[in-house]
Amino acid sequence: MRTQVGIIGAGPAGLMLAHLLRLEGIRSIIIEDRSRAYCEGRRRAGVMEYWVAQMLIKTGVGDRLMREAKLHDGIYFAWDGKAHHIDFKQLIGQQIYVYDQKEVVTDLIAHRLAQGEDILFDVSDVSVHDFESAAPKIRFHHKGEDCEIACDIIAGCDGFHGISRPSFPAQVINQHDKVYPYAWLGILAESPPPEKELIYTWHERGFALFSMRGHDLSRFYLQCTPDEDVSKWPDERIWDELAIRLAGARPLTPGRILQKGITPMRSFVTEPMQTGRLFLAGDAAHIVPPTGAKGMNLAMADVRVLAEALTEHYKLGEEIRLHNYTTTCLRRIWKAQRFSWWMTSLLHIDPRRDTFDMRRQRAELDYVTGSKAAMTSLSENYCGLPFD
Ligand code: APR
Ligand code: PHB
């Protein structure tokens, strides 16, 4: 097989990259080691920055998003039984969308297949070769055969556990890693969301987030320990704990719980994001804790930069943007890392906390929901900082 860009991974990053390249007439092949059903069913965070939604709409993959996604004017911070609104629209004239990442993946897969382009699902033993030369290759097994893709560029969009990042020569890579002493228990429940917009809740027993996937479908998260055993969370305990942490700020209507799972919390950045003709994008290069809702948005920002750089490379023969890919992306990534770390530390209870930390957090919450300057800063970061 021969193509221009060989893409590893059919998550938001790989699929959107292939889509943007196709619009510029640049050919690509996507390989994915899981099944189509797995990719389409993997439930992840749901907040989309406005520019991401516009990019999907303008490039012809936003029809369902326009029908089904919900536009939110702001978010709430709640503690001590009171919810405080942070109104993005009023403060900075921006809004965000709530649309699960699995829907984005589903839409992008359907669009690519409808265009007659392929995605090779269920591949195995993927490896990358000769990416320091002008003739990189991707090798893998597919349907019982050994396969090879010869390409100009390899895009490693294979998430945090993929093979692309570990294939970088050890001497070129720097990794910045922070693991938090807590995680999230994620819950999907047949229950009306307690509010039209998201509620981020501080409570001395731990953080809780009240999000939604529809009129009668809620997505909730409870701070738990990283090694939490889900079986210790029967439905009744979950509803009790959600009610305690929301502390009456809004009413809760318990319903059937459809899913429970643990989301780990990590901040991670790889530098550089490129070596030779191998480029990383999305979770393959960086992880943010979900509190800042930046994961999918950062993946989309990377592939926007990469698609522009590759377009310049193929159309004008210019290498500057490709050469600067890491530097361009990292400016946005580090700001999103800072914001995600800040939201996380503000709202979670560190098991090693002392009374000073608790009082400091509460003072900061009071400040963040009381000062127009602080709310404006939060709004800018939450809605997504402008591109250069
Ligand atoms: N070969 C082929 N595909 C692989 C391999 C491999 N060796 N390893 C992983 N993959 C696939 C995964 O199965 C997954 O479908 O790569 C894809 C990576 O997708 P994501 O993990 O969704 O990563 P990305 O596209 O960068 O999207 C980032 O995901 O974790 C969230 O919060 C994060 O929203 C952000 C988004
Ligand atoms: C979600 O709806 O899944 C969600 C929303 C906001 C976050 C994280 C997850 O910060």
Side-chain angles (χ1 to χ4, degrees):
M1 281 179 262
R2 156 96 215 140
T3 193
Q4 289 175 298
V5 183
I7 301 177
I8 310 176
L15 290 164
M16 192 64 195
L17 178 64
H19 175 59
L20 293 173
L21 293 178
R22 205 187 66 81
L23 294 174
E24 296 294 342
I26 300 167
R27 282 173 289 117
S28 66
I29 297 177
I30 306 179
I31 60 165
E32 163 61 52
D33 70 353
R34 310 299 290 249
S35 67
R36 178 177 178 182
Y38 175 88
C39 295
E40 292 182 343
R42 200 173 173 204
R43 198 171 280 282
R44 314 282 271 280
V47 171
M48 186 184 276
E49 292 174 4
Y50 194 82
W51 72 268
V52 175
Q54 292 309 309
M55 177 167 76
L56 292 167
I57 293 166
K58 280 193 203 135
T59 62
V61 282
D63 289 356
R64 197 160 69 95
L65 180 139
M66 277 193 286
R67 288 195 308 273
E68 294 180 16
K70 292 280 169 285
L71 256 180
H72 289 200
D73 292 346
I75 53 171
Y76 288 85
F77 273 8
W79 75 99
D80 289 356
K82 197 163 179 316
H84 305 255
H85 196 217
I86 299 170
D87 192 327
F88 306 147
K89 196 170 177 197
Q90 206 174 63
L91 288 158
I92 60 164
Q94 288 199 43
Q95 294 164 295
I96 49 120
Y97 284 88
V98 174
Y99 193 58
D100 199 297
Q101 186 173 311
K102 82 194 232 333
E103 312 304 343
V104 180
V105 167
T106 302
D107 295 346
L108 286 168
I109 291 176
H111 185 78
R112 183 163 176 93
L113 299 180
Q115 303 293 314
E117 305 272 347
D118 211 1
I119 301 169
L120 305 181
F121 288 104
D122 300 303
V123 304
S124 61
D125 301 311
V126 179
S127 58
V128 287
H129 303 270
D130 304 330
F131 46 83
E132 303 292 351
S133 81
K137 292 163 200 79
I138 307 173
R139 298 201 181 111
F140 54 98
H141 293 301
H142 186 48
K143 296 187 175 162
E145 283 185 34
D146 289 339
C147 306
E148 183 180 278
I149 298 173
C151 50
D152 304 330
I153 302 280
I154 301 175
C157 304
D158 48 351
F160 189 62
H161 301 288
I163 55 94
S164 299
R165 189 182 64 254
S167 304
F168 271 48
Q171 67 273 19
V172 305
I173 209 154
N174 290 298
Q175 306 196 341
H176 310 276
D177 199 4
K178 179 180 275 296
V179 178
Y180 298 86
Y182 35 75
W184 285 5
L185 171 64
I187 299 130
L188 184 72
E190 277 175 354
S191 161
E195 196 20 278
K196 291 193 303 299
E197 293 169 352
L198 275 62
I199 312 177
Y200 288 83
T201 308
W202 181 95
H203 192 280
E204 57 193 23
R205 290 168 70 99
F207 168 75
L209 171 60
F210 298 82
S211 182
M212 63 288 290
R213 290 295 183 272
H215 288 302
D216 288 310
L217 197 58
S218 283
R219 185 82 175 128
F220 300 134
Y221 299 94
L222 283 167
Q223 177 182 339
C224 62
T225 59
D227 56 355
E228 195 79 39
D229 177 359
V230 180
S231 69
K232 300 228 164 76
W233 286 88
D235 296 5
E236 200 172 274
R237 180 174 174 208
I238 288 178
W239 287 113
D240 287 348
E241 195 60 35
L242 286 168
I244 291 171
R245 296 195 192 177
L246 192 55
R250 290 290 182 277
L252 265 184
T253 318
R256 200 153 65 97
I257 293 186
L258 308 173
Q259 264 178 31
K260 299 173 198 172
I262 303 291
T263 306
M265 308 282 274
R266 185 173 209 141
S267 297
F268 176 88
V269 182
T270 272
E271 296 186 56
M273 290 166 62
Q274 64 200 92
T275 179
R277 288 173 169 248
L278 172 59
F279 292 78
L280 302 178
D283 276 17
H286 42 74
I287 294 284
V288 279
T291 332
K294 288 279 161 266
M296 174 171 56
N297 298 300
L298 276 184
M300 291 296 192
D302 289 352
V303 298
R304 173 176 157 169
V305 174
L306 188 54
E308 281 172 6
L310 287 168
T311 304
E312 212 170 83
H313 164 77
Y314 281 112
K315 298 226 160 126
L316 305 174
E318 286 188 10
E319 302 293 314
I320 298 169
R321 281 194 197 219
L322 264 189
H323 180 77
N324 291 341
Y325 172 69
T326 295
T327 319
T328 309
C329 289
L330 281 179
R331 284 191 69 195
R332 188 178 189 83
I333 291 162
W334 274 113
K335 285 181 201 141
Q337 288 287 355
R338 184 213 62 86
F339 176 67
S340 305
W341 164 85
W342 174 77
M343 283 277 281
T344 304
S345 342
L346 171 64
L347 291 161
H348 290 75
I349 302 297
D350 190 317
R352 299 158 305 200
R353 75 198 180 273
D354 53 29
T355 54
F356 182 90
D357 292 331
M358 302 277 271
R359 297 305 294 262
R360 179 187 50 76
Q361 273 183 326
R362 292 168 62 88
E364 190 160 3
L365 281 166
D366 198 10
Y367 172 62
V368 163
T369 53
S371 150
K372 193 172 172 194
M375 282 190 281
T376 303
S377 168
L378 188 150
S379 304
E380 269 183 357
N381 282 281
Y382 197 94
C383 293
L385 293 170
F387 283 84
D388 289 336

